[in-house]
Amino acid sequence: MIRKSIKEAFGGEVPFTKYIADNKEVAKRLLDAIDTGMSDSFEIAPEDQTVDRKRVDLVVRDDDNNVVQVIESQDATGWLDSVHASKIAYYCYEKDCMDGVLLTEDADEHIKGFIRWYNENTPLNIYLFNVVIYATNAGNYVDFIPVMRPFNVRDKKIQRKPGSVNNTQVDLRELLQDCLYSLLFHSDPAFHYRTAGTSASVEYRCIG
């Protein structure tokens, strides 16, 4: 077997992610590596557009056609860069889900630290996988090696401050939006989530 890069094996990012979507065995290998208990009835769809016509490489849909994971692959340059590492948050927001998967041939420690920061300080759950490709007599064999998995909820630094609102079902999409906005544009990482139809609010803190 000869190991190949994404560029050598597929020519680029788009043919590679389409290959995953078109090959049930490869797609299942990826979901098994993610290990989130997805049933055999999953659907992986390529080239899913956002409202501003950006392209999500792959989305995973459940039996009810809800997007449960977004998948972003690094381009043919190979190593994960800050652009692709950052897009995953927008795609999660856009597709109204909290789980994102990054596929790359490798990543340096600085970028890994950035993904770790995402997992520790925001509601997002980001998985990082190295892609390994071998050329065989039967064609390309693609495998996915886990590099990083999300934090458990109890280990995240995003905290809920006890308040007057109890048993509130928080809209995680709104929570993510407010958290990222607070971290990017305010020096104080605290933000407030106001329950619909009430005047009460709960304070959360994204701790960097």
Side-chain angles (χ1 to χ4, degrees):
M1 294 190 298
I2 302 173
R3 186 166 176 176
K4 290 192 171 184
S5 66
I6 292 174
K7 184 175 183 179
E8 291 169 336
F10 297 99
E13 171 191 2
V14 174
F16 170 59
T17 52
K18 189 174 187 303
Y19 171 83
I20 295 174
D22 290 344
N23 288 266
K24 192 81 170 181
E25 181 180 344
V26 178
K28 189 174 187 307
R29 191 178 303 135
L30 172 57
L31 294 184
D32 285 346
I34 298 169
D35 191 25
T36 54
M38 183 68 62
S39 70
D40 290 338
S41 59
F42 69 88
E43 177 190 358
I44 292 188
E47 303 287 303
D48 199 274
Q49 282 199 344
T50 64
V51 294
D52 55 347
R53 297 188 179 277
K54 303 298 182 183
R55 177 183 58 81
V56 183
D57 288 338
L58 298 163
V59 295
V60 182
R61 297 182 182 275
D62 63 14
D63 294 340
D64 298 319
N65 204 38
N66 298 311
V67 175
V68 293
Q69 290 167 347
V70 295
I71 301 174
E72 174 68 12
S73 176
Q74 178 62 37
D75 59 27
T77 57
W79 285 54
L80 183 63
D81 59 31
S82 58
V83 173
H84 288 78
S86 301
K87 286 195 294 186
I88 197 73
Y90 176 69
Y91 290 159
C92 284
Y93 165 75
E94 170 71 26
K95 297 302 175 183
D96 197 14
C97 72
M98 304 304 291
D99 287 6
V101 180
L102 288 164
L103 304 178
T104 184
E105 291 173 23
D106 211 338
D108 63 34
E109 292 305 314
H110 184 67
I111 290 293
K112 289 178 185 177
F114 178 55
I115 303 306
R116 189 175 297 108
W117 179 90
Y118 259 144
N119 281 323
E120 192 172 19
N121 294 282
T122 80
L124 287 177
N125 303 307
I126 305 298
Y127 298 77
L128 178 61
F129 286 88
N130 282 354
V131 176
V132 179
I133 305 169
Y134 292 101
T136 71
N137 292 333
N140 292 317
Y141 179 84
V142 180
D143 205 357
F144 307 95
I145 310 301
V147 175
M148 191 179 304
R149 295 185 181 278
F151 281 53
N152 292 323
V153 173
R154 65 179 178 273
D155 296 325
K156 285 180 176 285
K157 288 186 177 179
I158 180 170
Q159 300 173 353
R160 174 172 170 167
K161 181 178 178 180
S164 58
V165 178
N166 296 316
N167 301 319
T168 301
Q169 186 65 36
V170 175
D171 183 336
L172 289 180
R173 189 168 189 256
E174 183 176 341
L175 177 60
L176 172 62
Q177 182 181 11
D178 289 346
C179 179
L180 292 178
Y181 184 87
S182 221
L183 285 167
L184 290 172
F185 300 110
H186 296 287
S187 56
D188 182 0
F191 62 96
H192 290 80
Y193 176 84
R194 186 173 301 281
T195 308
T198 75
S199 60
S201 66
V202 178
E203 182 180 280
Y204 290 80
R205 296 187 67 85
C206 292
I207 303 175

